[in-house]
Amino acid sequence: MNDKNFYITTTLPYVNAEPHIGHALEFVQADAIARYFRKKLGKENVFFNVGTDEHGLKIWRKAKEEGLEINDFVDKYANRFKDFCKLFLVSYDNFYRTSTPEHSESAKEFWRACSERGDIYKKRYSGKYCVGCERFITEKELVDGKCFEHGIVPEERDEENYFFRLSNYKEVLLEWLENNPEVLKPSQKRDELRSIILEIEDISISRLKKNLPWGIEVPDDPEHVFYVWFDALTNYVNAVGYGKDKKKLEKWWPGVQIFGPDNLRFQGVIWQGMLSSVGLKHSAKLLEHGMILGDDGRKMSKSLGNVISPFEQEQKYGAEVVRFYLLSGISTFADSAYKEEDLVNMYNSRLANNFGNLLNRVIHLSNEKQVKINDEETVEDNFKKEVEKRVFGIKSLFDDFEIALASEKIDELADFGNKYITEKEPWKKDVSKAECEMVLNNLSYLLKEVIEWYEPIIPESSQKALLALENREKIILFKKLL
């Protein structure tokens, strides 16, 4: 990430189940950010990576449960994620899959680089292994003998594994965090990240192949396979040329990484240590989005019956309505309850009543009064300055990755337009044609700004709105939800 080039990547979801609403949040947030920076820097200067994590024990077991060959299983769910991206207008530049031969070679190259640095060694290890987490967990992480995250009793494991000397990089990472206080959003998570760094221990990075038949073989030791996280994390640099294209890597890395609140240890500590080991820069920005809660404010779980399917929501309301709510009604960096009542109310008030209503009024009146609009050169200076001041605030929020707050400011800009037209009353018979034209032309300028800045959030509706305004064709973009 620099002034000319911008790289953003999501995490890679496991392909052991259907995409859930948390995936939808992360993917559309990353998409909105990518769309904004394409607008700012040019399409050719933005690279947006998504993909799927396709190795690991739980994926192997799930394939067996479904009676599928492992490659057929991962293909099935990777394609579901591709369909999901298409449905929710996720405009990725690269869809990365960790089951490809290309990934395997790049991951091995990364392993070799760490090994040459002296950061990989072998030792015997005994502990409790959670298949859901795909890692060894400590006693203090257990609740009633079960993994807190997955509610299952971990398996006892005793085997010889390869370890990564993460402890070598404790001081390096503390210094990095100290010198880059803005690297993590939200900023209040910085103390948590520092605490995790202070507790750094070396980590197991392989499994015996006989216990995990589905993974990348360790270089020069086919009895072991990569620990799934060590394998998958390398995708962030592999996707932009690591081990293959130095020039491409230099263009795009370091990048911005977006992830959920259960992922800070991996993104902010383990991955940063791995980067130090191979001599690459640390991530440019770490964005920890909030968690979507059930409408009762509790964490979603099947047992509570408060899980929300993004596919069911799309069937009920449409993809852009769901996108709009995820980006505007759900806090970007804090946990939020997903409430369909709020979705309906926000859509009706912000899009149907505010933006859509203003668009229709301006198009209708410009045709009825036969006045000229869409002429930026004749917009009143004071009006233009007011709009520009508000647009500056919107841009600043997008630059700071504050999508929900930026959406709120776009809504306020549309509201300013509605208040302006109500005050000026250009429909009145005693308003001259010249005055009417000035008011409506001012508003067409404002609307183009509203449309432009809504584009990262509701891209298809924004395109339709712009065409309608330019062609002066009345359009009902946002039908009220009941």
Side-chain angles (χ1 to χ4, degrees), residues 255-301:
V256 174
Q257 291 169 229
I258 188 167
F259 55 92
D262 56 348
N263 223 319
L264 183 59
R265 178 172 175 265
F266 293 96
Q267 308 296 323
V269 182
I270 294 175
W271 174 233
Q272 305 308 319
M274 290 166 66
L275 287 167
S276 292
S277 181
V278 299
L280 290 177
K281 292 178 181 177
H282 294 119
S283 304
K285 199 82 173 178
L286 299 173
L287 306 178
E288 183 186 297
H289 63 74
M291 182 182 294
I292 297 185
L293 308 172
D295 62 4
D296 54 6
R298 291 188 289 179
K299 187 176 179 180
M300 287 188 187
S301 74

Side-chain angles (χ1 to χ4, degrees), residues 29 42 55 64 92 151 155 159 181 185 194 209 221 254 257 297 317 327 356 413 415 431 438 451:
Q29 282 184 345
H55 289 130
K64 296 299 178 191
Y92 58 80
E155 300 175 5
E159 60 183 50
K185 282 187 71 80
R194 190 173 187 278
K209 190 170 183 179
D221 192 346
Q257 291 169 229
Y317 299 111
L327 295 170
L413 179 58
D415 185 56
V431 174
M438 179 64 75
I451 291 165

Side-chain angles (χ1 to χ4, degrees), residues 340-454:
E340 289 190 51
E341 182 183 355
D342 289 350
L343 177 151
V344 170
N345 290 338
M346 181 170 282
Y347 172 86
N348 285 341
S349 64
R350 288 196 185 183
L351 296 185
N353 294 344
N354 197 20
F355 172 33
N357 182 44
L358 180 62
L359 179 67
N360 279 329
R361 290 169 91 182
V362 170
I363 292 170
H364 170 73
L365 281 170
S366 66
N367 288 329
E368 184 181 74
K369 299 290 187 177
Q370 295 185 323
V371 296
K372 186 179 179 183
I373 60 170
N374 300 317
D375 183 2
E376 187 177 335
E377 290 184 7
T378 60
V379 174
E380 284 183 300
D381 285 343
N382 287 342
F383 188 88
K384 183 179 272 193
K385 284 177 183 175
E386 180 62 32
V387 172
E388 286 175 346
K389 181 178 75 174
R390 292 168 182 267
V391 165
F392 178 80
I394 294 166
K395 287 180 181 178
S396 297
L397 288 166
F398 269 121
D399 279 330
D400 203 24
F401 310 102
E402 294 283 1
I403 307 165
L405 294 178
S407 180
E408 193 175 307
K409 292 298 180 184
I410 300 166
D411 180 59
E412 289 176 10
L413 179 58
D415 185 56
F416 169 70
N418 269 311
K419 287 173 178 172
Y420 175 79
I421 197 172
T422 300
E423 176 194 335
K424 297 296 184 181
E425 299 179 312
W427 53 83
K428 280 194 167 182
K429 289 182 180 179
D430 59 350
V431 174
S432 69
K433 186 171 183 177
E435 176 67 14
C436 179
E437 184 167 276
M438 179 64 75
V439 170
L440 295 177
N441 188 58
N442 285 350
L443 286 167
S444 68
Y445 168 74
L446 177 146
L447 276 165
K448 282 189 176 177
E449 293 291 349
V450 171
I451 291 165
E452 180 175 356
W453 299 111
Y454 261 143

Side-chain angles (χ1 to χ4, degrees), residues 132-147:
C133 294
E134 293 280 13
R135 68 180 178 92
F136 285 100
I137 57 178
T138 61
E139 287 287 347
K140 67 181 181 181
E141 292 178 276
L142 301 177
V143 176
D144 298 326
K146 296 178 180 178
C147 168

